[in-house]
Amino acid sequence: MPPTPPPLPRALARTPGTTLRTRIYRACLDAIVDGRMAPGTRLPSARQLAADWRVSRNTVDDAIAALQADGVLVRRVGAGTFVAQAAPAPAALRPPSAFARTALAEVSRWSRRAAATHAPGAVPRAHAFVAGLADLRAFPLDRWRRITATRLRTGGSALLGYPPSAGLPALRSAVARHLALARGIACAPEQVAIVNSAMQAVDLVVRMLLERGDRAWLEDPAYQGLRATLAMAGVRTVAVPVDADGLDVAAGIARAPRAALVHVTPCCQYPLGTTMSAARRAALLDWAARRGAWIVEDDYQSEFFHDGRPPAALAALDRSGRVLHLGTFTSAAFPSLRLAWIVLPPSLVDTFEAVRGQLDHHSHAIAQAVLADFIDGGHLAAHLRRMRTLYRARRDALVAALARHGVDGTRLVAAHAGMHVALRLPRGRSDRAVTAAAAARGVAVMPLSRYARHVRVSGLLLGYTALDEGAIERGVARLAPLLR
Ligand SMILES: Cc1ncc(COP(=O)(O)O)c(C=O)c1O
């Protein structure tokens, strides 16, 4: 028989950033929820706990008083403190996988498919060569902290209420100015709506503009999250191949001439990294204007155009009001911020705000206010300049390391923009097999075929933006023998 664990830990867990009172509160609650202290169990005296945990008696009293107020502990005068009969029972805790297995039979077809390709609990972390991660160590956190403190002081309780569904006016104006400078887009602040993420923007756009069963063109290959988002809205996606000039507009017209919407990544195709040619841009705008179709221009990672200037955004070229332009602060600032923007044609602004208002209503107001000040103070532009220099050097380091280790540079699909490079594998090599072999050597890569629907591609995505040059070299040294 394994030894029974003590009801309460002998030492308090060291959790940085939490107070002693919180740690005591949690230690007691965990012991009750885990079943180590059943209802009716008597707690050691506060004096004893204070001595065991080397904390003041007052702190223990404080935590116990909070648990009493929650109804988890009860005090009986003259007898001591006990776990309440109605305290949470351990049976309430079932392992999540048990839930997942039973739920799969009951959920919609779309969710089942989304769940099949999603690894629960998988959180991307800075490790060679996980793609799309900003170098968070380089973010000016001190500046962010100071702006947050000032905003909370000056904004006061006004920041705690409901902000407008389309976003705080200060942030909408800041984004409009930023886009005018960075992307040549001339739009009024009222055309900018603030959302939580690029994917939420796509979700809202599809709900607003399409009916179930409508067709939408999606690049092939494309980010899987997009396919899932469209499918969950009941939209039929038409996979349109991408070549060195970007989305093949003629192929799209041949496959689905009456599509209602197209999602494209013209600046930096995701995941290949190619840039759409001027002729293809013109052809796409022309088709959309004639057909009355909507173009969702996803400007993902356009901040990191390493060689030369990024090409004009479709939203800057559009004369027919058919382009909805979206971008995200996930890569420009940091992922946990959960803020993104969409620039809408004036005719759609009110409906978009109404649709958002009916769903989750708005994005985090304090984060929006802080971000507006961060942009208006010139700190976003300065941060992006620093990151472009840093990422370009890392891109160069990756390309040089691949060459040094005998990987032919012509295998790179594109490396001039974005936060990863896509590398073609020699004909006949399975990218999934190479991915598994790389994982066995401690290197994380993404197989290109995971993003493809019909086109046959075999390659790897190598992210480099969160890695210093030493980590890039070590990663390539381990990976290269699998690529030759
Ligand atoms: C094309 C594209 N757009 C948007 C995103 C994600 O943006 P967000 O984090 O704002 O949802 C991704 C993620 O990889 C992507 O590939």
Side-chain angles (χ1 to χ4, degrees):
M1 279 254 295
T4 325
L8 283 169
R10 275 190 252 283
L12 285 177
R14 282 185 192 283
T15 324
T18 50
T19 62
L20 277 171
R21 176 188 180 279
T22 302
R23 282 149 66 187
I24 296 170
Y25 179 95
R26 283 210 199 136
C28 295
L29 198 57
D30 282 351
I32 295 167
V33 172
D34 292 352
R36 278 174 281 138
M37 289 205 304
T41 308
R42 183 171 180 277
L43 224 65
S45 72
R47 191 178 329 119
Q48 183 63 52
L49 289 174
D52 289 352
W53 288 335
R54 297 189 196 166
V55 296
S56 82
R57 168 80 194 266
N58 277 349
T59 312
V60 175
D61 284 343
D62 231 18
I64 289 180
L67 289 159
Q68 283 169 0
D70 291 349
V72 173
L73 295 179
V74 284
R75 202 176 140 71
R76 290 194 214 123
V77 181
T81 302
F82 297 83
V83 177
Q85 290 302 333
L93 288 178
R94 276 203 283 152
S97 56
F99 282 115
R101 271 196 297 276
T102 50
L104 269 186
E106 295 165 2
V107 301
S108 68
R109 228 173 37 241
W110 315 121
S111 328
R112 228 175 2 252
R113 214 175 291 162
T117 54
H118 184 80
V123 176
R125 63 191 177 91
H127 176 71
F129 290 101
V130 176
L133 296 180
D135 191 336
L136 302 179
R137 294 163 302 185
F139 188 78
L141 201 52
D142 270 341
R143 171 78 59 193
W144 188 266
R145 189 180 307 125
R146 282 199 295 275
I147 295 176
T148 306
T150 308
R151 256 295 164 173
L152 286 176
R153 205 171 47 245
T154 56
S157 57
L159 281 175
L160 307 182
Y162 286 101
S165 290
L168 284 193
L171 183 57
R172 298 169 78 187
S173 300
V175 170
R177 277 192 294 275
H178 170 69
L179 290 177
L181 283 174
R183 304 294 286 123
I185 297 172
C187 65
E190 293 71 30
Q191 284 176 260
V192 177
I194 303 300
V195 288
N196 292 336
S197 65
M199 285 305 114
Q200 184 182 43
V202 173
D203 186 30
L204 290 169
V205 162
V206 167
R207 290 173 198 247
M208 174 176 66
L209 295 175
L210 302 192
E211 303 295 343
R212 292 187 90 76
D214 276 353
R215 284 169 184 262
W217 296 359
L218 192 58
E219 293 168 317
D220 190 10
Y223 177 54
Q224 302 108 312
L226 283 163
R227 214 160 14 241
T229 304
L230 294 177
M232 284 189 248
V235 172
R236 289 187 292 166
T237 56
V238 177
V240 179
V242 172
D243 60 23
D245 286 328
L247 179 88
D248 186 341
V249 179
I253 295 172
R255 281 169 203 196
R258 300 182 57 74
L261 180 141
V262 48
H263 178 281
V264 261
T265 49
C267 185
C268 178
Q269 204 278 332
Y270 199 91
L272 295 175
T274 49
T275 295
M276 197 175 195
S277 68
R280 289 271 177 86
R281 283 156 195 273
L284 185 63
L285 286 165
D286 178 59
W287 168 76
R290 277 188 292 110
R291 154 75 191 118
W294 300 102
I295 300 176
V296 177
E297 175 180 41
D298 187 341
D299 217 27
Y300 192 55
Q301 298 183 351
S302 69
E303 296 85 2
F304 305 114
F305 209 86
H306 306 306
D307 303 325
R309 299 259 314 148
L314 290 173
L317 302 172
D318 177 32
R319 297 283 165 266
S320 312
R322 308 310 300 176
V323 177
L324 295 82
H325 177 95
L326 60 93
T328 177
F329 289 105
T330 290
S331 29
F334 52 95
S336 70
L337 185 56
R338 285 293 81 190
L339 288 177
W341 67 86
I342 178 158
V343 181
L344 299 154
S347 59
L348 297 179
V349 169
D350 290 346
T351 313
F352 188 89
E353 180 162 9
V355 172
R356 177 81 198 272
Q358 301 288 321
L359 293 167
D360 67 334
H361 201 271
H362 65 265
S363 298
H364 198 299
I366 298 171
Q368 290 189 60
V370 173
L371 180 59
D373 289 354
F374 188 76
I375 298 174
D376 283 340
H379 306 299
L380 180 72
H383 173 60
L384 288 173
R385 276 195 301 277
R386 277 194 306 274
M387 299 319 281
R388 267 193 288 275
T389 307
L390 185 68
Y391 292 168
R392 189 185 306 122
R394 290 177 179 178
R395 186 275 317 256
D396 292 347
L398 174 60
V399 172
L402 287 167
R404 243 189 340 271
H405 287 272
V407 180
D408 183 358
T410 60
R411 295 238 220 101
L412 291 173
V413 180
H416 62 275
M419 297 171 77
H420 66 262
V421 297
L423 186 77
R424 262 190 223 95
L425 288 179
R427 203 172 277 280
R429 295 284 293 281
S430 145
D431 56 10
R432 291 182 192 241
V434 174
T435 298
R441 291 173 158 240
V443 180
V445 291
M446 199 52 108
L448 204 45
S449 60
R450 256 190 81 167
Y451 300 85
R453 180 124 170 238
H454 299 307
V455 293
R456 288 173 62 91
V457 282
S458 181
L460 304 177
L461 254 57
L462 306 183
Y464 54 82
T465 41
L467 305 173
D468 61 31
E469 295 177 17
I472 291 174
E473 169 60 31
R474 287 190 296 279
V476 170
R478 269 189 257 157
L479 181 66
L482 304 172
L483 305 177
R484 290 194 284 261

